[in-house]
Amino acid sequence: MKSEKEAKLTAFTPLKGRLFPVFLAPFLKLLECVCELFVPIMVSMIVDGCLSETGEHYGDSGYAFGLVGAIFGFAFLGFGFTIFSQYLASRVSSEFGYDLRRLIFHKISALGEGELVSFGKKKALNLTGSDSIAVQNGVFMFMRLLTRAPFLLIGSIVASFILSWLGGLFVLGAFLLCAISITFVIALTPKQYGLLQNELDQIATMGGDALVGRRLMRSFNMQKGQKEKFASASSAYRKRAIGVVKISAFANPLTFAFANLGVLLVLYIAGFNGSGDMPLSVGTIIALINYLTQSLAAFLQFTRLLNSLSKAMASKKRVDSFLSIEPVVKEGDIKELPSGDIVYSLKDVSKGFGGENLVLKNLNLSVHKGEKLGIFGGTGSGKTVLFRLLSREFDPSEGEVRLYGNELKDYAFSAYKSQIAYVGGMSGFFKGSVRDNLTLGLDYNEEEILLALEKASAKKFVLEGEGGLDREVFEKGSNFSGGQKQRLLLARAILSNRPIQIYDDALSALDAKTESEVRKAILSNDDATILFVSQRIHSFASCDRVIVLDQGQIVAEGRHEELLETCSFYREVYELQRKEV
Amino acid sequence: MVHSLKNIFSLFKGKGPKLVVCFLFAFLSITSKLAIPFLSGKAIDILRETFVFADLLPYLFAIFGLLLFGAVMRYFFDFLANGLVEEVLNGLRNDLYASYLDSSLTAIEKRKQGDLLSCLLGDMDTLQKGLVSGATAVYEGIVQILLTIVFMFLLSPILSAAVIVLTPISVLMSRFIAKKNANGFKRQNAMLGEVAAFALESLDNSSTIESYGLWKDKEEKFAERAKSLQKASFSAQFAASLINPCTRLVNNIIYATLVLLGVVILMFDTPFSVGFTVGALSSFLSYAYQYMAPFNEVADASSDVIFASVAADRIREAVSLDRESEEGEAFEGNLAEVRGENIVFGYDPSRPVLKGIDFDIKKGMKVALVGTTGCGKTTLLSLLMRFYDQNSGSFHFNESDLSSLSLHSSRAEEGVILQDAILLSGTVYENVAIGRIDASKQEIVQACIDAGADPFIRALKDGYDTKLNANSNLSEGQKQLLNLARVMLLDKELMLLDEATSHLDLLTEIKLQESFRKLTKGKTSIIVAHRLSTVVDSDMILVMDQGKIVESGTYAELIRKNGFFAELYRSQLS
């Protein structure tokens, strides 16, 4: 899955191979603009040629109607070009969106759990949703809209120069002034928009907190303080928004003023020079005025587009940063897993996450083949981090984790991933049938499935439920109770029959009697190496060995009976639990 | 549309003068804007006919004056209108947030939290867009279109009539396409939802997928969904992108028709030819252009305005949820007794959860509430925290009826650990100090040490300065430790602890026993425990079943009695 060429992916990578249509669409737009730009020329030809007494075709209505006919013709021709361009834009941008989403999803699949968590799964989810839509829209807009305004502008200038070099200069001057003022406005706003977004995020977070933490805030009498905090966040947003408006409100009046200044100058020059010989014909003046007003509208549309485009660019940046994540956990070369008596061996393993405390400290541990190792440890003991090291969600900060003699990081992922079954927590359900959720697409026959269900004490409720093995599993398994979900996950692990099995407090939601039955079924698998975490000390009686983890260190180790003798803490908890039993 | 505009206008109550000023700016700037082509048409005629520069000059000055004046007025309009919108939104935001915090929980919980929150985000955004678009619609639509018609009629009634008759075609066309589109976008959104749901499931289960080698399969399935999305999004986008070209086509045809009519009028002797000049045709063509352009804008704006009106309704509804009462006297003195008398309560009054609860707890007592899931323990605590009001019966703090006290003062007596440990956005320091914002850093750290949270906090990258939020990657157990630290920092007379340790393992819980003892020492405490072994040293155990207290007494008494509690105790342990 991880090819060597993945390094330089960006959100625009899927555009490769589509460059022809991507640029053809704007070209068609250009043709449409040309059609539009011909219209004022036609009008000026009518005015100067047919309506003015000095014109060559004065009074020639046939000629005039011919020109009017051309204006009609250009309208339809332009329409044809633009429809084709829109079609291309919709087609290509939607296909681009498809590829982009797949690319992002592929990256999700290529990254390890650790990297996904540290990037933020919610952020990754948004990439496949709102962000890729935004980038897709950006491409769409580029292809069908963005080029229209510049083409109209440039075309107007060119056409004006064709009509009269002096007129061309005025149009050019007016546009330059408009462009400068708009650039000024645009240059100032994106940073403001960024800051505005930060303020908005703050508001969103506070709102979410107030709803989720509604009881908390009420019971701690936090309302007054929070409202004050919110009011200042809200008015900070407002101030920032008005700050943006202060700048952006210049766009409309400035372009209006400059375009009309152009009109004014055209009229001034036409009249000023004037003793008899007009430098600009009336038709030219009308055409120039037309270009000036027409392009004014294009200008304003363009600024609006740029705003929405900056949104697309922000999304593109997020996508890029995700696609460029270098997996921290890199694959090694060893493809075959050797065999041996010692499955795992940890030497002086420490793991920290940047804080002043380490989560695991100098851990030394060997796990033998077929061993049933009990692990006893509470919140913060480091057991979960230990398991994440064993399945290589990340590497240790210091020390070595070895699997069958070689360092875990030297293996190809395929060498060991399929060796380990981990059960813990309540997640891991897919929408689909119970059967699909147990087999995960692999081939098992009915008997094997039923046997696994029986061992996990899940056969009864599965078979008695409506639909049996084909019963539908909802999102997150929400149509099963906690205890049922746990048993289904256990059945899946039992069915997979992997050589290394980790049960991370995986029987916690079962009642004592069921727990004991399932535990026995799990631990009776002689071939499998099993790491078994439980909060119930008596469950360790059937383990070969037990380690006690506390604050990242092994504080005691031995058989259950030995620990009862030697470890006072172990015994204390045992007594307490026995009193309950 | 009219209804929507009215609805939105009502948001500006009390801002009438500002609205009038806005409207005035709009009127002045548009009049200036539209007078310019009129004047330039006159100027063209002078150039054509008399060609005297002195005759031209007044027109040029007038144009110059108008463009300056129009520009300034436009700036004021944009600035003022946006400022006014932000002012209204700011007020609404504060009202909304106040509603989140001050409304009764019954009112809030009847609604979907996501919907309520989206009032603050999506709906506000929609409203903002709608208000700005609405302002534009008024500006470009109503004012500009009306004034343009006036100017056009001044130039040529017959051409004006042609424009007015023809223009609705383009509007109807764009409306027609937009209507067809609505379905396309609906389908696109539905497909987007499916893609998102699939991605979410895959992300949630990524470690399972990884370990069972399912990524390839998932990628294929994702591609299928993405493909359907692509198809939906193609047709939606293409249909939507037809609106502009189609209206442009119609507009261009109208434009060509006007040129045709103009030529006919100018070249032939028609009844309309009197007084119609080339300059007038030029002005007229500019007007026609300016007249047609805003129709699309107004059409766009009208859908924005309709959406905004819906958003405004939703926001209004969220703002006007039933509030918690602010009435009541302050509690004074030392809390010596907490009593409940015949408390009856149901979230739905016809199905009571609590069916007549009586208790009497004296200062310093440690009381445990036990019973099977759903027997009403948490509900009873919720009533004591006054999240809800009981249907009948009364609670008493000393001799004061709880409902006669202000919420603030009765809650101020209580130190609470809720079942769900929730992180607020802010640093660890801030999260712990929510009940006492003025607590010093040392006090906070001490509270965390007492709560057993210190070691894991120090393992975080920025320690106590680590920024947390509701989605922070802490385990439930760690969150509960922080929850505990929050209360450790307070000094309250009545401790209400609802399964404060449910996500902690026994080991941690045992370690924390000393801290709990310290926390409840000398205080009255009511504890819902999830392990019965921890209730052994309570001064009183209230055993609840199906909304009633069925037994009470000390551990020894209850075991001796061999009743419901003894049975419960045995069943939980075996």
Side-chain angles (χ1 to χ4, degrees):
Chain A
M1 309 272 281
K2 288 169 199 192
S3 74
E4 51 302 333
K5 278 194 182 167
E6 236 165 19
K8 274 192 185 169
L9 290 178
T10 75
F12 284 161
T13 306
L15 281 180
K16 272 183 200 148
R18 298 210 162 86
L19 289 181
F20 178 68
V22 164
F23 288 104
L24 178 60
F27 179 71
L28 291 166
K29 276 288 183 197
L30 176 70
L31 294 180
E32 190 213 359
C33 291
V34 170
C35 291
E36 265 180 56
L37 289 166
F38 263 114
V39 173
I41 295 185
M42 301 284 124
V43 175
S44 100
M45 280 164 78
I46 294 173
V47 170
D48 288 343
C50 316
L51 299 178
S52 113
E53 284 153 32
T54 53
E56 282 173 39
H57 303 274
Y58 182 62
D60 182 349
S61 59
Y63 180 76
F65 289 141
L67 287 172
V68 172
I71 296 179
F72 274 103
F74 279 125
F76 283 101
L77 196 60
F79 179 72
F81 285 131
T82 191
I83 288 295
F84 188 30
S85 156
Q86 309 280 34
Y87 173 81
L88 279 179
S90 315
R91 169 115 265 157
V92 170
S93 67
S94 67
E95 283 173 4
F96 163 78
Y98 168 74
D99 283 350
L100 180 63
R101 273 181 206 99
R102 284 189 61 188
L103 189 66
I104 294 168
F105 196 81
H106 179 70
K107 184 74 184 179
I108 290 175
S109 80
L111 286 178
E113 178 74 8
E115 285 131 4
L116 281 178
V117 169
S118 70
F119 180 82
K121 290 189 171 183
K122 213 172 166 195
K123 255 166 82 189
L125 180 66
N126 286 339
L127 292 180
T128 64
S130 56
D131 282 324
S132 47
I133 278 280
V135 181
Q136 178 184 333
N137 276 336
V139 171
F140 187 50
M141 280 195 305
F142 168 78
M143 289 178 67
R144 75 184 188 97
L145 282 178
L146 195 65
T147 46
R148 182 178 148 81
F151 284 160
L152 272 182
L153 290 178
I154 295 168
S156 301
I157 294 169
V158 171
S160 310
F161 270 108
I162 291 173
L163 286 168
S164 142
W165 65 270
L166 198 57
L169 276 184
F170 289 141
V171 173
L172 179 65
F175 286 165
L176 281 181
L177 285 173
C178 286
I180 290 169
S181 47
I182 295 263
T183 317
F184 168 76
V185 168
I186 289 173
L188 283 174
T189 41
K191 211 180 133 205
Q192 299 284 329
Y193 274 114
L195 294 171
L196 198 60
Q197 187 59 42
N198 290 346
E199 309 276 7
L200 195 63
D201 289 346
Q202 180 67 17
I203 285 173
T205 316
M206 291 193 75
D209 279 358
L211 285 170
V212 177
R214 56 190 181 274
R215 287 160 190 251
L216 188 71
M217 288 190 178
R218 282 168 179 75
S219 62
F220 279 76
N221 275 332
M222 292 168 71
Q223 294 100 319
K224 195 161 163 267
Q226 288 297 114
K227 274 191 261 180
E228 282 164 13
K229 256 177 145 180
F230 184 85
S232 73
S234 176
S235 78
Y237 174 83
R238 178 186 164 198
K239 273 195 198 120
R240 184 92 47 215
I242 290 180
V244 172
V245 168
K246 245 183 219 164
I247 302 170
S248 64
F250 273 108
N252 276 323
L254 282 183
T255 42
F256 161 75
F258 289 137
N260 280 300
L261 202 61
V263 173
L264 185 66
L265 283 176
V266 167
L267 289 172
Y268 176 78
I269 287 300
F272 184 70
N273 200 28
S275 46
D277 198 22
M278 258 173 77
L280 301 171
S281 72
V282 170
T284 307
I285 295 172
I286 294 176
L288 289 177
I289 290 177
N290 218 317
Y291 285 134
L292 282 163
T293 43
Q294 196 177 24
S295 312
L296 170 73
F299 233 121
L300 292 176
Q301 196 196 17
F302 186 62
T303 49
R304 241 172 283 152
L305 271 181
L306 283 183
N307 270 339
S308 15
L309 215 63
S310 67
K311 208 167 144 194
M313 285 313 280
S315 288
K316 180 191 172 323
K317 259 190 205 159
R318 278 194 287 273
V319 174
D320 285 349
S321 78
F322 180 68
L323 290 177
S324 67
I325 294 177
E326 282 283 330
V328 186
V329 179
K330 293 215 172 67
E331 203 165 3
D333 301 323
I334 308 175
K335 297 235 160 42
E336 290 287 316
L337 207 59
S339 59
D341 184 43
I342 293 183
V343 182
Y344 279 114
S345 70
L346 279 69
K347 217 175 121 197
D348 296 326
V349 168
S350 296
K351 180 68 191 172
F353 294 96
E356 62 180 282
N357 282 7
L358 289 171
V359 183
L360 286 180
K361 290 166 218 155
N362 283 322
L363 209 71
N364 285 290
L365 177 68
S366 293
V367 184
H368 295 264
K369 190 162 188 177
E371 185 174 8
K372 312 290 176 271
L373 178 69
I375 298 173
F376 182 56
T379 311
S381 65
K383 62 184 161 62
T384 309
V385 172
L386 172 65
F387 296 146
R388 294 176 71 183
L389 280 174
L390 294 183
S391 48
R392 212 174 158 228
E393 277 178 30
F394 37 64
D395 291 322
S397 312
E398 270 170 62
E400 294 170 355
V401 179
R402 289 180 179 274
L403 179 66
Y404 292 115
N406 297 313
E407 273 206 66
L408 193 53
K409 62 175 194 250
D410 294 334
Y411 286 107
F413 293 145
S414 60
Y416 61 87
K417 289 270 181 202
S418 60
Q419 300 288 306
I420 309 166
Y422 173 88
V423 195
M426 293 286 185
S427 74
F429 287 98
F430 300 95
K431 261 171 93 172
S433 67
V434 170
R435 187 195 307 273
D436 292 343
N437 269 285
L438 292 174
T439 62
L440 294 179
L442 294 173
D443 248 347
Y444 293 102
N445 63 36
E446 195 92 3
E447 273 164 54
E448 289 170 309
I449 297 174
L450 290 178
L451 186 67
L453 281 173
E454 180 155 8
K455 282 185 179 169
S457 191
K459 192 171 163 185
K460 195 160 169 244
F461 79 82
V462 168
L463 292 187
E464 282 175 3
E466 202 178 320
L469 277 172
D470 295 315
R471 178 170 171 199
E472 200 189 339
V473 176
F474 293 171
E475 220 167 284
K476 297 190 179 192
S478 60
N479 52 337
F480 291 90
S481 75
Q484 290 176 334
K485 280 195 273 189
Q486 212 165 45
R487 278 177 279 173
L488 287 175
L489 291 171
L490 286 166
R492 176 195 286 171
I494 292 169
L495 185 64
S496 78
N497 196 21
R498 295 188 162 188
I500 302 170
Q501 299 175 7
I502 300 175
Y503 295 90
D504 187 357
D505 218 355
L507 285 68
S508 59
L510 308 185
D511 64 70
K513 190 164 152 275
T514 320
E515 191 260 2
S516 141
E517 285 167 10
V518 176
R519 170 166 40 87
K520 275 178 195 141
I522 289 170
L523 294 178
S524 66
N525 184 339
D526 288 337
D527 300 328
T529 307
I530 293 177
L531 280 69
F532 189 86
V533 176
S534 175
Q535 299 302 326
R536 295 164 167 141
I537 285 204
H538 63 90
S539 353
F540 295 128
S542 35
C543 289
D544 300 324
R545 186 165 57 121
V546 183
I547 58 173
V548 180
L549 267 182
D550 189 31
Q551 304 215 2
Q553 285 171 309
I554 296 178
V555 293
E557 186 177 350
R559 290 186 56 81
H560 174 66
E561 297 78 12
E562 289 166 9
L563 284 175
L564 286 177
E565 296 282 316
T566 55
C567 179
S568 60
F569 182 62
Y570 190 84
R571 187 176 57 242
E572 206 177 292
V573 178
Y574 178 72
E575 291 296 331
L576 213 110
Q577 289 180 332
R578 211 166 59 111
K579 216 165 46 180
E580 295 183 350
V581 179
Chain B
M1 180 70 196
V2 176
H3 164 80
S4 301
L5 273 175
K6 247 192 213 160
N7 188 14
I8 282 191
F9 260 113
S10 66
L11 293 173
F12 291 87
K13 239 178 220 156
K15 304 200 170 20
K18 283 187 183 169
L19 274 180
V20 171
V21 173
C22 264
F23 188 79
L24 190 67
F25 284 141
F27 181 78
L28 289 175
S29 89
I30 290 175
T31 313
S32 322
K33 181 178 162 190
L34 292 179
I36 291 178
F38 192 79
L39 292 175
S40 53
K42 293 277 179 221
I44 286 172
D45 284 339
I46 290 174
L47 284 172
R48 248 173 76 85
E49 284 146 27
T50 62
F51 210 80
V52 177
F53 188 60
D55 288 349
L56 192 63
L57 216 50
Y59 287 103
L60 297 187
F61 274 119
I63 291 175
F64 186 66
L66 284 173
L67 79 86
L68 282 185
F69 182 70
V72 172
M73 288 298 113
R74 179 73 211 249
Y75 183 84
F76 282 153
F77 170 76
D78 277 359
F79 182 69
L80 209 75
N82 278 290
L84 198 54
V85 167
E86 290 302 332
E87 188 179 326
V88 168
L89 292 180
N90 189 48
L92 280 179
R93 262 198 307 271
N94 284 326
D95 289 351
L96 256 179
Y97 189 76
S99 170
Y100 292 171
L101 287 184
D102 296 340
S103 295
S104 77
L105 286 177
T106 319
I108 289 187
E109 285 163 4
K110 245 192 244 160
R111 287 162 182 83
K112 280 191 192 148
Q113 308 304 298
D115 285 353
L116 279 178
L117 185 59
S118 75
C119 285
L120 187 60
L121 308 174
D123 286 336
M124 274 293 175
D125 198 41
T126 311
L127 187 57
Q128 195 256 357
K129 238 183 241 159
L131 289 178
V132 173
S133 297
T136 318
V138 170
Y139 180 92
E140 300 203 306
I142 302 165
V143 183
Q144 179 160 327
I145 290 175
L146 286 180
L147 283 176
T148 313
I149 291 177
V150 171
F151 276 100
M152 285 196 298
F153 265 97
L154 286 178
L155 288 168
S156 163
I158 176 69
L159 286 185
S160 310
V163 172
I164 291 167
V165 170
L166 291 174
T167 308
I169 300 176
S170 94
V171 178
L172 286 178
M173 174 112 119
S174 71
R175 288 296 83 186
F176 174 75
I177 301 173
K179 219 176 220 170
K180 291 242 150 186
N181 268 353
N183 276 331
F185 276 105
K186 232 185 241 164
R187 245 194 41 220
Q188 184 186 335
N189 281 340
M191 288 317 302
L192 256 178
E194 273 198 37
V195 166
F198 189 84
L200 176 65
E201 185 187 80
S202 305
L203 280 163
D204 275 347
N205 297 330
S206 54
S207 55
T208 308
I209 296 175
E210 173 96 37
S211 122
Y212 284 88
L214 302 175
W215 274 122
K216 209 166 171 192
D217 175 51
K218 294 288 162 199
E219 281 193 57
E220 277 163 20
K221 286 191 176 140
F222 181 80
E224 280 168 28
R225 285 162 177 79
K227 194 84 209 168
S228 323
L229 169 62
Q230 184 226 313
K231 282 183 189 147
S233 114
F234 166 72
S235 42
Q237 278 187 334
F238 184 55
S241 71
L242 287 181
I243 296 183
N244 275 326
C246 288
T247 49
R248 219 162 34 231
L249 175 68
V250 174
N251 289 347
N252 287 343
I253 290 173
I254 296 175
Y255 191 90
T257 310
L258 291 177
V259 175
L260 180 66
L261 287 175
V263 167
V264 170
I265 294 172
L266 285 172
M267 292 187 80
F268 300 96
D269 197 15
T270 68
F272 312 106
S273 304
V274 188
F276 192 74
T277 60
V278 171
L281 178 63
S282 160
S283 311
F284 198 88
L285 289 178
S286 317
Y287 285 133
Y289 192 79
Q290 291 188 24
Y291 176 77
M292 291 182 293
F295 274 98
N296 284 328
E297 306 251 351
V298 173
D300 284 350
S302 72
S303 61
D304 283 349
V305 168
I306 289 168
F307 287 139
S309 162
V310 175
D313 284 340
R314 283 162 46 96
I315 292 170
R316 268 204 203 98
E317 199 217 325
V319 166
S320 55
L321 298 180
D322 291 339
R323 297 296 160 108
E324 288 189 317
S325 157
E326 284 175 22
E327 310 287 293
E329 42 200 273
F331 178 76
E332 276 161 19
N334 202 316
L335 186 58
E337 186 186 32
V338 178
R339 245 176 30 244
E341 281 168 13
N342 197 21
I343 304 295
V344 176
F345 174 75
Y347 297 94
D348 166 5
S350 67
R351 297 219 313 263
V353 181
L354 299 177
K355 305 166 187 165
I357 301 277
D358 293 285
F359 61 84
D360 186 353
I361 298 170
K362 299 277 191 269
K363 186 176 169 66
M365 277 173 85
K366 182 181 167 193
V367 177
L369 276 181
V370 302
T372 49
T373 317
C375 69
K377 294 169 290 191
T378 298
T379 307
L380 184 58
L381 288 192
S382 299
L383 293 183
L384 270 169
M385 297 175 232
R386 298 176 69 189
F387 291 155
Y388 313 99
D389 293 326
Q390 62 272 20
N391 305 131
S392 66
S394 57
F395 291 102
H396 294 270
F397 276 12
N398 297 353
E399 286 317 307
S400 310
D401 189 320
L402 197 55
S403 53
S404 73
L405 299 175
S406 75
L407 282 171
H408 186 274
S409 88
S410 73
R411 284 175 183 162
E413 294 297 311
E414 301 168 338
V416 175
I417 297 186
L418 299 166
Q419 216 170 46
D420 294 320
I422 285 164
L423 299 176
L424 303 177
S425 65
T427 62
V428 175
Y429 281 125
E430 288 165 344
N431 255 289
V432 172
I434 57 170
R436 254 186 67 200
I437 307 172
D438 57 342
S440 73
K441 290 193 173 179
Q442 285 95 319
E443 287 175 298
I444 296 172
V445 173
Q446 189 54 49
C448 288
I449 293 174
D450 290 342
D454 183 72
F456 91 79
I457 294 172
R458 286 184 194 277
L460 297 174
K461 198 157 171 246
D462 298 317
Y464 280 86
D465 289 311
T466 306
K467 285 220 170 11
L468 302 174
N469 61 54
N471 304 316
S472 284
N473 206 16
L474 295 185
S475 73
E476 286 303 313
Q478 289 169 330
K479 288 187 204 166
Q480 279 194 325
L481 296 182
L482 284 181
N483 228 357
L484 183 57
R486 283 169 175 164
V487 184
M488 292 274 183
L489 200 58
L490 306 176
D491 179 27
K492 303 286 187 181
E493 283 309 312
L494 176 62
M495 306 302 295
L496 303 173
L497 312 182
D498 190 2
E499 306 221 354
T501 58
S502 59
H503 287 281
L504 299 181
D505 46 86
L506 188 64
L507 210 74
T508 314
E509 198 173 342
I510 291 167
K511 284 193 204 160
L512 286 176
Q513 265 175 0
E514 186 48 37
S515 301
F516 271 104
R517 226 166 272 144
K518 223 164 94 186
L519 182 68
T520 53
K521 194 174 171 203
K523 309 286 168 59
T524 313
S525 55
I526 305 178
I527 300 170
V528 175
H530 83 122
R531 282 198 187 88
L532 287 184
S533 57
T534 55
V535 307
V536 175
D537 63 343
S538 304
D539 299 308
M540 176 162 68
I541 299 173
L542 298 175
V543 186
M544 292 180 67
D545 185 36
Q546 293 180 23
K548 285 187 178 147
I549 293 180
V550 289
E551 285 174 16
S552 68
T554 63
Y555 173 76
E557 287 166 5
L558 290 172
I559 289 292
R560 212 174 310 131
K561 193 175 168 196
N562 203 12
F564 188 79
F565 177 76
E567 192 188 324
L568 193 71
Y569 194 81
R570 278 194 302 270
S571 80
Q572 196 190 55
L573 302 175
S574 64

